[in-house]
Amino acid sequence: SISSFPESMLQSGGSDWIHSIGIYSTAGLLMADVSLQGDCLSGIGWTDDEVLVLVLNQGSLFLHDTQGNVIKTILLRSLQNTSDASILNASVCGDTIVALDNEMTIIVCEAVTRQNPHVYSMRTGLSSIRPATAMAVLPAEQTSTGSFEVILGTKDSSVIVVDQNGCEDQLLQERLSTPVLDMAIAPNGRFLACFTSSGVLSVLSTSLTTKVLEFDTATSSRPSQMVWCGEDSVVLHWNQFLLMIGPYGHWLRIPYSMPLRILPEYDGCRIVTKTSCDFIQRTPEPIETIHRIGSTDLAAMLYDAMEAYGDSDPKADESMRAMHPPGQVLHAISTCISAAANEFETGQQKKYLRAAAYGKNFCQCGQFVTDMFVRTSRTLRVLNHLRSENPGFSVSYSQYKFLMPRGVVKRLMSRGNYSLAARISEHLAIRFDEVLISWTCSRMKLLISANSSDECIRDWVQSHMNVHGYKMSCVPMAVAADHLQRRRLATMLLDLELDTVHQVNLLLNMEELEIALGKAIGSLEVDVAYMALCSIDNRDTQTNFSHSHGHTDDLGLSSYLGNSTTRSLMFVYHRCAADNSPDQCRARSALLRLLASADAGDLTMSAAYQRNILTARLNELRVVSRIYSSHGELSFEARSSEDQISLLSTQLELERRYEVRCFTDMSVAETVHNLIALGMSQPQNIVTLNRDANLAHRRFKMTERHYYFVKIRALGASGQCNLLRAFADEKKPPVGFLPFLHACLENGYPASECETFVARLPSLEDRFEYYMQLQLWPRAAETAFRLRDRSRLYRIRDCSKSDERVLDLVEQLSAKL
């Protein structure tokens, strides 16, 4: 694959113990030299970002750039506590390192180029008795599960697939009669090549369900290397020759008389020796279409007509005019342009382009063909220059499309070839501000190494900020200065930055919190201010400004309370976010730091009533009481929270005493109501229930009238008629007798029970109305007579026409009026 860094050649100073590694371009020019100190190298490779990875047998990973500089060192954590463990084999796949140790454990280091790589191990189920004999890694983007897979060949002629979910033995003893000695996965991830100890090359699908090819090499010696050449052929290297095996078992033997190394490519393979670097690839389809023996394709005819025209042969014009329809001529022109793009030899490139230009004279070419011709010509100028001795960056057209122009420019920048990167960017009409920024950073590092003053470097950077009309960002230069321990220079460079978001964000990362907060508030942008404030607030409140103040200070208090704007912003943020935040304790602490005791108490109260365990709720309520009590203006809230704690404690005790679950989360009135109503189901506890109701009434300062209303409703709703009458007879009720009557009516008591309370109503008009409602006609007639109201008597007569006695009574009383 292209991530194997096809542009470089690696040399080692010894067979086992590496003393130096040379990084060369494909032209054989030494780019850098990396020295190692006496540890055995177990693996070597390149990431997608052109970072050289060296894996030592004791578990150390060294990362270098293309100029040989050390980027970082990583220690595989799984080997730290195992003194006898060592790495047997390691593979670099993208930005993931997969290693196999001598205990048959796979160690994975993901995101190796990032700041915090993830290191973990996976069990294979193998051991020293049944060891692994070969290893290959299938990238995550080429698997059905979306996670990378490690394929291991075993000593018992089987294959094991290991991923994050575990390992699975594929039981391939019937398909692979002997153990697998070497493995290689095709660039497209569809095929797996296996070389067995019997000298047989088997090509399987990566799902290990289909055997595509089986080829007997007629040798039992293991090849020194086996790689894929593109997607449809396998190259094996033995001493003095290469064996290329293609589809359907076709093979080709290529002699080589000197030591070599094969580097697999995206679309072929590169053969590196001491004196040459050869590239082998399958002939691109456009070139094959034109030069295939006996080809009758219109592109081949167009190419032949161009050559005839160059020889002044009149048949060239006849051949072109015989091509029909014109749309096929356009296809032939496109094929010739594609053939030129895929060709390495510049003379042949010109022939293909001349053939395309010749064909344009015989049809009306659209803008698409013209743009394609111009774009390909520009691309070929770039590719031909890259393939020259300097810079020695030889890539095929397919690899160029895979990298894209920005990828090529980025790789040139990593080599320090900024001039060529800028010229290519300008030639291809792409922005090259990244090139200018990278060049400025490299120059600034040289000035720093020369001990130039911060002011001089700042002035030099400022003078180069506007180049070719590009306004460069100072953030990358500030990052580079900070990495080189020049914090003052970094802050000075950030003063030149116009983008406040990037400026504040980097200051926060540099722990320059006070400066970052000042810049954010001064920008008058609410989003930037909140970004700074929230970032500071997320840090530990014990973080100090010792690097700028020289003493320890509480960051939250000094930042929020010292400035009314920041305090107001953070108050709004925490108050609005508190309702949706799962971390209520953190929001409460922030509000308390902002001296917002009322809001902190309200937030804690809300959190308390989200607790299902009552003891935990009580503890939260006690915290609420302390918060309110700490502020003199919240005395009412403090007393209310204390009363709520007392009520909840009383309710818990009542539920325990009477073995019911009907008091928790009730109000005082509801608690008293339930205590009195519970006497219907627990008559043996009526005395204690009434006593507890009276205690609750006095303890929580219910008014006498309120208590009477609650008790009357409770006795009426629970059907305790006798107790209701007795309660009415205790003393003159402060609420009168009407609530007693309403309790009887609402709960469907018989008229005889209701009559008792109607008779005790002080108002004759009320008595009359309720007698009428209860259809107690004689009582109603007597009350109407006492009121000396003939109309009420007639009303009784109209309502009770079927009762002769009532009619006679009404007539008698009416006659007396």
Side-chain angles (χ1 to χ4, degrees), residues 794-812:
Y794 292 157
R795 178 181 168 190
I796 296 171
R797 182 189 61 188
D798 295 338
C799 293
S800 60
K801 293 181 178 181
S802 59
D803 194 335
E804 295 293 336
R805 292 182 301 171
V806 174
L807 294 177
D808 293 341
L809 178 61
V810 169
E811 292 296 336
Q812 294 174 7

Side-chain angles (χ1 to χ4, degrees), residues 768-785:
F768 175 79
E769 294 298 333
Y770 283 108
Y771 281 141
M772 292 292 292
Q773 182 178 344
L774 296 170
Q775 297 183 2
L776 298 174
W777 312 122
R779 293 287 187 183
E782 294 174 359
T783 306
F785 178 77

Side-chain angles (χ1 to χ4, degrees), residues 171-199:
L171 303 176
L172 299 181
Q173 286 85 350
E174 294 183 359
R175 296 184 182 180
L176 303 173
S177 57
T178 55
V180 177
L181 300 182
D182 204 352
M183 287 182 173
I185 294 178
N188 58 8
R190 295 176 55 193
F191 304 112
L192 172 68
C194 302
F195 186 85
T196 64
S197 59
S198 60

